Amino acid sequence: MTQQEQQNVQAVQRLYDAFGRGDIPTILDGLAEDVEWNEVPGGTPPFRGTYRGREAMGEFFRQLGETAEVARFEPKEFLAQGDTVVALGSYTFRSRAGGKSWDTDWAMAWRLRDGRVARFQVFKDTATENAALAA
């Protein structure tokens, strides 16, 4: 892994650490002004769609906090090539409305530009997520 790839992995790890602390301002600061954040199509809002820009991401995290709480969030492996970092992990979320929990393994792809996230894409089990949020 090159030094730049190591720095990119560390930048993504810092974002995960901030998420674990509930530190949304630090996450937003780690995003490019024109960030494109892609949630899997077919999920329940805010877990679906494309969000563009830091302001939209602030709204995404607000909705996420209103919709679900994180019971467990575990990034396990990081792969890097050039400006792209792929993280593999799993989490358990709980619906705030219905109290039902869901677990999923995930892959998150991060594209960095000048040390900030320019593009994000998540791959996860939306069927389990939708069922928990509908309960």
Side-chain angles (χ1 to χ4, degrees):
M1 191 179 301
T2 69
Q3 183 177 1
Q4 184 62 47
E5 289 167 341
Q6 289 173 348
Q7 290 172 344
N8 288 339
V9 167
Q10 291 168 351
V12 170
Q13 289 171 328
R14 283 191 297 275
L15 295 176
Y16 286 133
D17 290 344
F19 184 74
R21 296 188 308 271
D23 184 357
I24 304 308
T26 294
I27 296 171
L28 295 177
D29 188 53
L31 306 178
E33 288 290 337
D34 62 345
V35 65
E36 180 181 301
W37 189 279
N38 296 287
E39 288 290 320
V40 179
T44 301
F47 302 102
R48 76 161 180 233
T50 299
Y51 299 83
R52 289 184 173 82
R54 282 190 192 163
E55 186 175 326
M57 289 311 305
E59 179 63 16
F60 167 83
F61 284 113
R62 185 191 65 73
Q63 289 179 14
L64 174 64
E66 290 176 357
T67 303
E69 69 178 290
V70 180
R72 180 183 59 83
F73 189 87
E74 297 178 355
K76 297 176 183 174
E77 187 174 354
F78 297 88
L79 310 163
Q81 184 173 352
D83 291 330
T84 300
V85 174
V86 175
L88 306 174
S90 63
Y91 62 64
T92 302
F93 277 21
R94 185 174 20 265
S95 167
R96 291 196 185 274
K100 186 166 171 102
S101 294
W102 72 95
D103 299 298
T104 187
D105 291 328
W106 48 257
M108 297 181 181
W110 304 82
R111 174 79 40 94
L112 287 93
R113 181 178 65 235
D114 300 325
R116 287 193 158 77
V117 176
R119 188 170 193 284
F120 169 86
Q121 176 72 56
V122 62
F123 304 90
K124 60 188 175 177
D125 180 354
T126 58
T128 301
E129 180 178 278
N130 287 340
L133 291 170

